[in-house]
Amino acid sequence: MTSAPLASPAHDPDLSAFARVVEPFRVMDILARAQEAERNGRDIIHLEVGEPDFPTPPPMIAAGRAALAAGDTRYTPAHGTRALREALAADYRRRHGADVDPERIVITAGASAAILLALAAGVNPGEEVLLPDPGYACNRQFVAARGALPVGLPVHAEDAFQPTPEAIAGAWGGNTRAVLLGSPANPTGTCLSRERLTAIVEVVRERGGLVIMDEIYAQIVFDHAEPSAAAGFPDVVVINSFSKYFAMTGWRLGWMVVPETWVDPVRRLAQNLFVAPATMAQTAALEAFTPATEALLQTQVRELEQRRDVLLDALPGLGLEVQARPEGAFYIYADCTAHGPDSEALCARILDQAGVALTPGTDFSPTRGRDYLRIAYTQSESRLREAVERLQTLLG
């Protein structure tokens, strides 16, 4: 009787090159440290994570519960239910005057999945994607995960931290395929004007490229709302989400509007990569478009505007300079060089000594992030004022 061959000694499988070098999402590390401090009995004011403190509106929660109770838990089509896509198309008509065919709308498992689908559909490995610097931290990783090359496009306070058509034209090379924009932008809260977007789209069209527009904060605008890029730019891929305005972060539901020729390929990609978005989340999201829910959400937008104004009044006295006025979202990007050359060290000090959690700019800019920090005004006005008092005591 022969014995079974001995297995070879165990070893750890090799990581991919991407996994070895991927940067941490620093804000999540800060959140973990802040939560550990809370477990140890400290009171922490959370101004780090981009998550509204508002709960999901009650009608949406009720609809989700009803879906579960009814056993509505099976797969939907990979591109989402017809009912939700039609509701979004109607919202584009009402809110933006845009005639969007529901067939061009793809429901996704959050905006992250939508961006990954857009890159899978429109960008080849080895091609370059221009990304505003500063910009949302994970966009660099989305591009790299595709096997494409993220290329930082410096944006400046005098341009509201938004790209100009001239800068895009100057940065566009023979291997450039796309530019990923955001309005309102994370981390700055600034908006891209319709005039500038039109000029950027023309620059990219002339070069045979692709514009991806992240509009996940587009419903949270305080000063002057611009129409969605879905109105008038049928070749722009528009990304949006139920997370921020609709306060559904944990439901993981987003959507994208794609060019007509992309409809079938993106559906096939969605089938293979994600199978389907969450069923009960789609049912709950249908309640987002009722007059009662819209009235509640607009009240929350006005409250966010008041919170922004509290901080804009207070921050200069704390040595935190706001170089470009945020027009939307719920972020302020502040120059913190008056307190030293390292925003990571400053944020650690503020958390440890003042119990206020902020995000260093290095999450958003590999080149200039040490000069900035991001403040998310996702706490009540009373908590924001308390945070200002703590910062005043620490920073003087």
Side-chain angles (χ1 to χ4, degrees):
M1 180 176 180
T2 59
S3 59
L6 295 175
S8 60
H11 72 284
D12 291 330
D14 290 338
L15 290 167
S16 70
F18 174 63
R20 286 197 297 268
V21 302
V22 66
E23 300 173 63
F25 195 9
R26 293 172 182 83
V27 67
M28 302 311 293
D29 291 339
I30 293 167
L31 175 62
R33 289 183 54 199
Q35 290 173 334
E36 178 64 23
E38 287 176 318
R39 285 191 291 272
N40 291 329
R42 291 196 64 196
D43 176 50
I44 304 296
I45 301 177
H46 289 275
L47 307 181
E48 78 280 41
V49 176
E51 181 172 37
D53 57 318
F54 306 119
T56 302
M60 300 165 75
I61 293 175
R65 285 175 173 160
L68 288 175
D72 188 12
T73 57
R74 302 182 72 83
Y75 290 137
T76 71
H79 56 290
T81 65
R82 177 76 186 185
L84 185 54
R85 290 184 287 110
E86 288 180 342
L88 283 164
D91 195 59
Y92 274 109
R93 284 193 297 272
R94 179 184 64 82
R95 198 184 297 271
H96 301 289
D99 186 13
V100 177
D101 187 339
E103 295 301 304
R104 293 176 53 212
I105 297 174
V106 178
I107 311 300
T108 60
S112 297
I115 294 173
L116 288 167
L117 282 171
L119 293 169
V123 178
N124 294 304
E127 292 181 326
E128 296 175 349
V129 178
L130 301 180
L131 303 171
D133 175 2
Y136 178 53
C138 295
N139 286 343
R140 301 193 299 273
Q141 315 310 335
F142 293 147
V143 173
R146 174 67 183 121
L149 305 175
V151 176
L153 181 68
V155 292
H156 307 284
E158 58 267 28
D159 297 315
F161 289 114
Q162 290 283 358
T164 64
E166 294 79 11
I168 290 175
W172 201 279
N175 197 38
T176 308
R177 172 57 186 155
V179 60
L180 175 52
L181 308 172
S183 181
N186 180 4
T188 62
T190 62
C191 293
L192 190 64
S193 71
R194 187 71 169 188
E195 179 182 10
R196 196 185 301 186
L197 174 61
T198 301
I200 288 172
V201 170
E202 186 59 33
V203 164
V204 176
R205 283 174 177 167
E206 289 172 353
R207 289 155 178 77
L210 169 67
V211 175
I212 303 171
M213 172 60 81
D214 177 349
E215 295 185 348
I216 71 172
Y217 301 100
Q219 297 98 326
I220 308 175
V221 177
F222 312 129
D223 301 327
H224 175 64
E226 297 283 359
S228 168
F233 301 107
D235 53 342
V236 171
V237 177
V238 177
I239 308 294
N240 213 314
S241 172
F242 286 94
S243 288
K244 310 299 183 176
Y245 177 64
F246 300 104
M248 293 182 72
T249 49
W251 299 74
R252 306 311 306 136
L253 196 67
W255 75 90
M256 59 196 301
V257 181
V258 301
E260 187 174 353
T261 56
W262 280 36
V263 168
D264 182 62
V266 170
R267 288 183 183 182
R268 286 187 276 113
L269 284 166
Q271 290 164 1
N272 282 278
L273 297 180
F274 299 105
V275 181
T279 302
M280 70 170 181
Q282 294 183 72
T283 302
L286 284 170
E287 294 298 316
F289 305 104
T290 65
T293 302
E294 177 67 11
L296 171 62
L297 296 173
Q298 285 298 311
T299 298
Q300 293 173 175
V301 170
R302 291 191 292 272
E303 183 173 339
L304 287 170
E305 182 177 13
Q306 292 169 358
R307 296 178 186 182
R308 176 201 64 172
D309 293 344
V310 166
L311 289 179
L312 287 179
D313 288 342
L315 291 177
L318 301 173
L320 298 172
E321 181 187 1
V322 182
Q323 299 171 332
R325 180 182 176 86
E327 302 163 278
F330 33 71
Y331 305 118
I332 292 177
Y333 199 57
D335 185 312
C336 60
T337 51
H339 301 289
D342 185 351
S343 62
E344 290 189 21
L346 178 62
C347 286
R349 178 182 165 215
I350 289 172
L351 177 59
D352 292 341
Q353 299 182 28
V356 178
L358 307 172
T359 306
T362 46
D363 248 356
F364 312 103
S365 172
T367 58
R368 295 168 293 155
R370 290 191 177 277
D371 293 342
Y372 293 88
L373 53 80
R374 188 193 74 176
I375 305 170
Y377 42 96
T378 51
Q379 295 289 313
S380 67
E381 186 173 328
S382 63
R383 288 290 273 174
L384 288 179
R385 292 187 184 279
E386 183 178 354
V388 168
E389 291 176 1
R390 295 185 188 186
L391 292 172
Q392 182 66 53
T393 299
L394 177 65
L395 303 177

